[in-house]
Amino acid sequence: MEKQHKKLSLTTWIFCLPIFLHAQGLTLPPSGDNQKSVVSQYMGIVESRFTYNSPDVTGPGGEDRKGKIWGQLVPWGMTNLGFGTAKESPWRAGANENTVFTVSHDVLISGKTLNAGIYGFHIIPNETGPWTLIFSKNSSSWGSFYYDPSEDALRVEVAPVACEYNEWLTFGFEDRHLASCTAFLKWENMKVPFKIEVPDINRVYLEKIRDDLRSSIGFSWTNWAGAAQFCVNRKINLEEALLWADNAISLPFIGQENFTTLQTKSQVLFALGKEAEAKELMVKAVHHPTASVNDIHQYGRALLNSGKNQEAMEVFKVNREINSGDTFTTYVGLARGYAAIGDKKNAVKNWEIAIKNIPEEQKVNLTFYQSELEKVKEL
């Protein structure tokens, strides 16, 4: 009995040796040559990251373990590992220390909420039926030896799928979008995918924008205008966007009244349904000393794209009147405006003037402008 006790103690000592050495601060090769890996994916500004130790199908002694990974090396279901406090343990989803999942903001995992944080990541594989993913509040343990279900932050069920052969256990991300992606674990011929979603990406950005504007970033009118533009483009938070647009114009020591800030406020007003105020402000913007030929031209193009052909025509006329010294862009605007309202004769006339006066830097686009002229002639 004493010999058996000594043998058990020695086995336990050897088994715990990597933990003991790590505690002493020694830098040694990874246990079992299972290299540490980190992979992350951003969804906008939301980061999700896996930190894990990656075993391979080939064993540390060179043994071929193909066909012996799932159900053998990685047992089905929960397992008594014979060490630690856990009577039943899930798979650690890797080797050595906890596999760790970190997420910077609240997300949905397969449709269920997981708060921002750092989690130990475990899996309960099943020979048949769905697999269970476990996100544990304990992220600092070695493997699953101390797994405690009371520390679960979230459990979700997912369906594994067959995949191409993978020698190394690998985490990754696919089907990537601004507010969602699919994370996966792949090893040998098995893949475990699960969806990660940011439930309200606009809210995430708004919170960051508000925080940014309180810092040195807020000492520039361009950033106040950019914040307002973000809201206009997404048709959200328009009342606050109007305040931001006003700050871009008139915030003490920072604000500037110019074409960009006036146009930004006009766009917010238009989005709020205050069309008369928006139009009045754009008249001021177009006639502002900071309005360039191209600023006015692009505003006219935007009106054309919105189907407001007559309004665009008036803007192109104003541009020609204010910037009479310009012999190219103002005529291109008139040509486009006349074509939009169906005045073929004047459209052709102004295209010909513009092409005749094409500046050197625009000559690379000569063929394009000539094709625009031919399109009008064919009307």
Side-chain angles (χ1 to χ4, degrees):
M1 186 72 180
E2 183 179 352
K3 288 183 180 179
Q4 185 178 3
H5 176 72
K6 287 182 178 178
K7 184 177 180 181
L8 178 62
S9 298
L10 180 60
T11 302
T12 303
W13 168 257
I14 293 171
F15 188 76
C16 294
L17 186 60
I19 305 175
F20 176 77
L21 291 178
H22 185 270
Q24 300 304 303
L26 291 176
T27 301
L28 297 172
S31 176
D33 291 332
N34 299 311
Q35 298 284 5
K36 190 170 186 177
S37 301
V38 179
V39 62
S40 64
Q41 177 62 45
Y42 281 84
M43 294 162 284
I45 59 173
V46 178
E47 182 190 12
S48 56
R49 180 171 70 248
F50 286 99
T51 304
Y52 64 104
N53 291 274
S54 178
D56 56 339
V57 173
T58 302
E63 61 272 23
D64 184 3
R65 300 188 292 190
K66 289 178 184 175
K68 301 175 183 177
I69 299 297
W70 305 110
Q72 296 185 46
L73 183 63
V74 179
W76 302 124
M78 300 282 279
T79 308
N80 187 333
L81 299 174
F83 178 77
T85 58
K87 292 184 173 59
E88 286 191 316
S89 299
W91 177 44
R92 72 184 80 180
N96 303 344
E97 304 101 323
N98 265 185
T99 293
V100 176
F101 178 73
T102 305
V103 64
S104 62
H105 295 71
D106 297 352
V107 294
L108 299 176
I109 304 290
S110 296
K112 294 184 178 180
T113 299
L114 182 69
N115 293 331
I118 303 173
Y119 300 95
F121 182 72
H122 307 269
I123 297 177
I124 304 175
N126 286 306
E127 187 171 10
T128 59
W131 291 19
T132 301
L133 309 183
I134 301 172
F135 297 83
S136 171
K137 296 171 187 175
N138 176 6
S139 63
S140 59
S141 292
W142 184 279
S144 301
F145 301 114
Y146 297 91
Y147 170 74
D148 184 343
S150 70
E151 296 175 324
D152 289 357
L154 178 67
R155 283 189 175 208
V156 296
E157 291 188 343
V158 299
V161 295
C163 69
E164 75 286 358
Y165 177 78
N166 296 269
E167 172 69 16
W168 297 93
L169 184 150
T170 302
F171 281 89
F173 301 88
E174 60 191 4
D175 192 25
R176 295 175 289 183
H177 303 280
L178 176 63
S180 68
C181 66
T182 298
F184 62 80
L185 177 152
K186 294 196 293 188
W187 197 18
E188 200 190 34
N189 293 108
M190 192 76 76
K191 177 178 178 180
V192 186
F194 59 95
K195 191 165 187 178
I196 305 175
E197 298 173 274
V198 182
D200 189 350
I201 192 68
N202 286 333
R203 178 187 58 79
V204 171
Y205 272 103
L206 283 172
E207 289 175 356
K208 186 66 172 69
I209 287 169
R210 292 183 186 115
D211 193 47
D212 285 345
L213 291 174
R214 296 188 300 174
S215 71
S216 59
I217 292 171
F219 295 154
S220 169
W221 65 263
T222 58
N223 290 326
W224 289 98
Q229 281 285 350
F230 171 84
C231 297
V232 169
N233 292 341
R234 287 161 178 77
K235 297 180 175 58
I236 59 169
N237 197 48
L238 294 174
E239 294 293 344
E240 188 173 18
L242 187 58
L243 295 175
W244 292 344
D246 278 328
N247 283 347
I249 296 171
S250 56
L251 196 66
F253 309 111
I254 295 169
Q256 287 188 25
E257 181 182 285
N258 56 42
F259 177 85
T260 299
T261 55
L262 292 172
Q263 184 182 43
T264 298
K265 182 175 179 180
S266 172
Q267 290 170 333
V268 177
L269 288 169
F270 188 83
L272 285 166
K274 300 177 180 180
E275 192 167 340
E277 290 180 58
K279 286 182 178 180
E280 183 180 347
L281 202 57
M282 276 312 300
V283 171
K284 183 177 182 179
V286 166
H287 288 85
H288 198 275
T290 60
S292 69
V293 172
N294 196 56
D295 285 335
I296 301 171
H297 180 76
Q298 291 303 322
Y299 172 51
R301 291 292 303 274
L303 289 171
L304 284 182
N305 291 336
S306 299
K308 299 175 181 179
N309 298 338
Q310 194 58 54
E311 288 182 44
M313 185 73 251
E314 295 306 313
V315 169
F316 291 133
K317 285 179 179 180
V318 169
N319 202 15
R320 178 72 201 129
E321 179 183 338
I322 294 174
N323 296 290
S324 58
D326 179 273
T327 58
F328 177 70
T329 301
T330 55
Y331 285 110
V332 171
L334 288 173
R336 293 191 183 282
Y338 281 122
I341 64 174
D343 188 339
K344 176 179 176 179
K345 179 180 177 181
N346 275 313
V348 169
K349 174 185 173 182
N350 282 281
W351 268 124
E352 289 175 342
I353 295 172
I355 291 171
K356 180 181 176 181
N357 293 297
I358 189 168
E360 192 64 35
E361 67 273 11
Q362 284 286 346
K363 285 185 178 178
V364 294
N365 300 315
L366 178 60
T367 302
F368 170 75
Y369 292 124
Q370 287 173 332
S371 69
E372 292 292 288
L373 171 59
E374 293 305 315
K375 286 179 187 176
V376 174
K377 288 180 177 179
E378 292 170 4
L379 290 176

